[in-house]
Amino acid sequence: MKIALVIRHVAFEDLGLFERTLENVGYQVKYLEAGMDELTWIEPLVPDLLIVLGGPISANGEADYPFIEDELNILETRLQYDAPTLGICLGAQLMARALGARVYSGQQEIGWKPLQITEQGEASALRHLTADNTSMFHWHGDTFDLPEGAVRLAATDVTENQAFSWKKKGLAIQFHPEVTPHGLERWFIGCCNDIERTEGLSLQQLRHETRQYGYEMDVHANAFLQEWLESVK
């Protein structure tokens, strides 16, 4: 059985619906908890798939969170050898850093908003996540420059680099196609301060839009992941 090694930074930002998809196509999912598990034990090229999930800390925060340096080292090796690697939100920012790009504060995006898929994105598995198919869930304040040699796949009206591919088997996505309506209730608790401090945003609005878009996204997000997994075999 193939191993999908998943680095998780906070308990509520897990694989969500992606876990079921991975198991259905033959992966055994193994979580490692950043800050708790020893990431230096990871042999970077051994896992069949590496997924680095999101979290509220900065991708530039290794002075406070030394495990970030370990994650960068692992990502540098996997990306160099084009081993299947998926980064989501913080994971995408770490992939950008591992490839030499700058990560910095951008305009905060929280909630549901459609993606603008590039021509290159339309030719990839991200074609399932176009605005015609589904809205997308976002929760980030930082962003990144496009690494040299990477291909931009998606944007929004305020964030130019929402997704990029690297070689054939690296994919970084700033948004969250993995979330489920039920699972987002944990986000609303864990990130309540973000909601309260964001002008024009409310918990009631987030719940309403999640009911409106969340179940529709499930279908397209599963199709996206299945096609991407097939492409990196």
Side-chain angles (χ1 to χ4, degrees):
M1 180 173 284
K2 296 175 291 187
I3 299 296
L5 186 64
V6 183
I7 299 178
R8 177 166 54 186
H9 300 93
V10 288
F12 60 83
E13 291 202 44
D14 56 18
L15 281 172
L17 65 90
F18 281 3
E19 185 161 356
R20 181 182 69 232
T21 305
L22 286 163
E23 291 173 346
N24 286 344
V25 298
Y27 283 90
Q28 179 183 349
V29 173
K30 177 178 175 57
Y31 281 102
L32 288 180
E33 309 295 338
M36 300 292 290
D37 294 319
E38 183 53 69
L39 301 185
T40 58
W41 294 350
I42 298 174
E43 296 182 53
L45 299 179
V46 169
D48 300 286
L49 171 65
L50 176 70
I51 302 176
V52 183
L53 296 173
I57 62 175
S58 169
N60 298 312
E62 60 265 36
D64 293 322
Y65 302 100
F67 59 78
I68 288 177
E69 188 170 351
D70 300 329
E71 293 184 65
L72 290 170
N73 290 336
I74 294 164
L75 286 168
E76 286 174 5
T77 300
R78 288 190 68 87
L79 295 171
Q80 177 185 353
Y81 288 93
D82 200 22
T85 304
L86 174 64
I88 300 176
C89 201
L90 173 60
Q93 295 161 13
L94 289 167
M95 285 179 66
R97 269 202 70 189
L99 292 168
R102 184 172 63 110
V103 178
Y104 52 94
S105 294
Q107 185 170 333
Q108 189 175 61
E109 288 185 288
I110 298 177
W112 292 88
K113 178 188 294 185
L115 292 170
Q116 301 166 3
I117 305 296
T118 67
E119 183 178 350
Q120 293 88 344
E122 291 273 11
S124 76
L126 284 184
R127 65 190 179 86
H128 295 284
L129 304 181
T130 62
D132 289 339
N133 288 333
T134 183
S135 193
M136 182 52 60
F137 191 73
H138 304 263
W139 202 307
H140 71 94
D142 288 350
T143 188
F144 49 81
D145 291 333
L146 186 70
E148 184 177 355
V151 177
R152 182 185 293 108
L153 302 177
T156 60
D157 56 346
V158 299
T159 303
E160 182 179 26
N161 296 314
Q162 282 281 1
F164 68 82
S165 61
W166 175 256
K167 296 184 179 179
K168 293 183 178 180
K169 299 181 181 180
L171 179 62
I173 55 176
Q174 180 101 286
F175 45 88
H176 291 279
E178 83 282 9
V179 297
T180 66
H182 184 65
L184 276 176
E185 285 298 321
R186 296 183 297 161
W187 292 53
F188 300 156
I189 298 168
C191 299
C192 62
N193 288 339
D194 284 350
I195 300 171
E196 293 169 359
R197 294 169 182 169
T198 302
E199 185 176 354
L201 186 69
S202 70
L203 180 55
Q204 292 72 24
Q205 172 193 344
L206 286 171
R207 283 183 172 144
H208 172 75
E209 292 180 350
T210 297
R211 289 192 296 270
Q212 184 177 1
Y213 301 119
Y215 296 100
E216 174 188 75
M217 188 182 72
D218 187 314
V219 175
H220 301 292
N222 271 301
F224 148 71
L225 184 62
Q226 287 184 45
E227 182 172 323
W228 182 74
L229 290 171
E230 183 68 24
S231 75
V232 300
K233 281 184 177 179

